[in-house]
Amino acid sequence: GLSYYHRDVIKNLIENFEEPFYLVDQQRVVASNEANAELFGLSSESLEGKSEQQVASDVERYSKRCKKHENVFETGEPLSFTEELVDDQGEERVLETTCVPVKSSEKLVLGYSHEITSHTNRIRELSEQRKDMNVLNQVLRHDVRNRLQIILTHGDLITNMIDTNESQHAQRLLE
């Protein structure tokens, strides 16, 4: 397995990242920086050493992440996924999280997350704007067709009301 020295090196590296970073083995959270722990309303000290199942039972939103770790342990392949959660301040946050297996004699998964909340919100805003533009486009096309039909009907009436010499000019308007 990893020596205490290597675990300390990894723990120090993880603590220096501003984005959420963590390391888990198949039994527990080995290391977590504050940014990661805060996602679940915990401190890194209270998260480290706990089993993932214990964290998941204490914090419901952690259970989804726990299932992803199981997948990485089973397959040995990296996995990226989107996490949507509500933090302790009631703010919705969207994270793109990547879990990678650590090649060592014991099974470890290193995870890191990148905040994509503003990007996701912008995509939602643009989607809503696109829907609004489509509705406006349909209304405008409908109105233009209705007005054009009125013009054509009046043109037919005018053409039928005037004598043949002058009806050529009215007929051109209708073409």
Side-chain angles (χ1 to χ4, degrees):
L2 288 178
S3 68
Y4 287 110
Y5 170 77
H6 288 112
R7 284 182 188 259
D8 283 344
V9 168
I10 291 171
K11 186 173 165 58
N12 285 329
L13 284 170
I14 288 172
E15 288 174 355
N16 288 317
F17 284 99
E18 289 182 25
E19 297 279 349
F21 253 83
Y22 60 92
L23 181 69
V24 295
D25 63 20
Q26 288 185 296
Q27 283 80 40
R28 62 192 174 84
V29 178
V30 175
S32 171
N33 66 2
E34 286 300 321
N36 180 64
E38 287 171 1
L39 292 173
F40 304 102
L42 302 168
S43 67
S44 61
E45 292 84 25
S46 66
L47 186 58
E48 290 173 357
K50 278 190 173 180
S51 73
E52 288 206 288
Q53 289 71 26
Q54 183 181 3
V55 176
S57 68
D58 293 346
V59 184
E60 184 181 321
R61 59 187 181 241
Y62 192 82
S63 62
K64 291 178 185 174
R65 183 181 276 189
C66 189
K67 286 180 178 40
K68 302 295 185 181
H69 296 157
E70 290 171 10
N71 185 285
V72 175
F73 284 127
E74 287 173 18
T75 65
E77 296 294 322
L79 178 66
S80 293
F81 56 96
T82 301
E83 291 182 279
E84 292 187 24
L85 49 91
V86 177
D87 65 19
D88 285 349
Q89 290 76 38
E91 297 292 321
E92 183 181 312
R93 296 182 66 185
V94 183
L95 304 160
E96 183 68 31
T97 299
T98 300
C99 302
V100 294
V102 176
K103 302 212 185 302
S104 72
S105 60
E106 62 182 295
K107 288 190 172 187
L108 297 168
V109 169
L110 178 68
Y112 58 94
S113 300
H114 177 69
E115 181 95 29
I116 60 169
T117 304
S118 60
H119 176 74
T120 302
N121 289 341
R122 185 67 182 135
I123 288 172
R124 287 179 187 153
E125 287 172 15
L126 289 172
S127 177
E128 287 300 315
Q129 287 176 355
R130 188 174 299 118
K131 287 177 189 173
D132 292 346
M133 291 298 291
N134 285 338
V135 169
L136 180 61
N137 185 17
Q138 288 174 347
V139 169
L140 285 174
R141 286 190 349 236
H142 180 264
D143 287 352
V144 167
R145 280 194 300 257
N146 282 349
R147 304 269 176 171
L148 184 57
Q149 189 60 44
I150 291 168
I151 291 169
L152 291 173
T153 301
H154 284 288
D156 280 341
L157 289 173
I158 292 170
T159 302
N160 293 333
M161 293 169 61
I162 56 179
D163 68 40
T164 311
N165 292 341
E166 294 170 348
S167 70
Q168 300 174 338
H169 299 293
Q171 192 63 36
R172 264 194 244 154
L173 289 174
L174 298 175
E175 290 174 359

